[in-house]
Amino acid sequence: MFTLKQMEALYWVATLGSFEAAASYLNVTQSTISKRIGELESRFSVPLFDRSARQSVLTSKGSDIREIAEQMLRLNDRLVLTARASVAPPMRFRLGVTDLVALSWLPELLATIIERYPDISLEPEIDLTAGLMERLTDRKIDFVICPRITQHPQFINMRLGEIELVWMASPKIYGDDRVLSNDELLRFPLLIQSTGSILRPILHDVIDNPKLPFAKTISCNNMAALAELAAFGLGITILPKAFFSKYVSDGRLRIMKTAIELPKLEYFITYRNDYNGAFFEEIAELCRALCDFTGRAASS
């Protein structure tokens, strides 16, 4: 009798390229993976893996079995979700988000996932967009919420919404509501996210424009830290309006009026289209229901 665990072991060894990587992904020992593959191969007259290769490469027969394994795993995933049992597919769920999501509705999302799937192993990671997308491509995380998509067919993208960006500064250095000219704006130090943030290319025409030479630039890879630096009076910054509205209501920051318009920031969900796709789609719909780009969670 073939088992789903054997199919799962073969699928991930073939997908990740080694027994060690598959064991790490499935949160089991390497010997467990070897045992499951050995049991599976014992049912066939030819090997399923080419042992002469440096990586774990499937033979022709192994490739045929992998296709069947993926179909079986997808059907099992759908069956689990259809049953609406109190457990998720036995897996680690490695979720990557930017600090903007972490500062707002991530706690509610994690709490809801835990309530719905109490036996799932949650591993949230917070990073800049570039780091998240790189880790998704390398299969080090499974599901990403950030302002970038990938067009590769092995990934699925879903749009979440857009966020308004505004200029902000401490009342210490911007105390009225008048519109600042470019010359006045450029006299302030600019506090901005470092390279690797999605804001860098989006705001390229502003922060990397030689025609807009700011007096000084201070880079930081964390939005909350930028808000604190600006509130202290160290310079002006560009932040999502809704998520830092509490700073404005508390009188720590003011929204600046300038002649320079800023683009809006779009957020997306991206996940791999593998046999866990039905589960990821369920989590994506949960994100759509819980995500708050109005700043309610951040300002409460």
Side-chain angles (χ1 to χ4, degrees), residues 159-206:
R159 185 179 182 275
L160 269 181
E162 59 183 24
I163 303 170
E164 181 183 3
L165 299 174
V166 294
W167 294 95
M168 286 191 175
S170 167
K172 301 173 187 176
I173 63 176
Y174 178 74
D176 54 42
D177 290 328
R178 65 191 182 87
V179 178
L180 296 180
S181 67
N182 286 1
D183 288 340
E184 291 174 308
L185 190 69
L186 293 173
R187 295 193 189 110
F188 295 107
L190 176 64
L191 311 172
I192 197 65
Q193 281 206 329
S194 54
T195 303
S197 163
I198 194 64
L199 287 184
R200 295 296 295 209
I202 288 176
L203 298 172
H204 174 76
D205 291 340
V206 177

Side-chain angles (χ1 to χ4, degrees), residues 246-260:
K246 193 174 190 305
Y247 282 76
V248 177
S249 62
D250 289 346
R252 300 184 64 201
L253 288 174
R254 290 178 63 91
I255 296 176
M256 305 175 70
K257 296 179 180 179
T258 77
I260 301 177

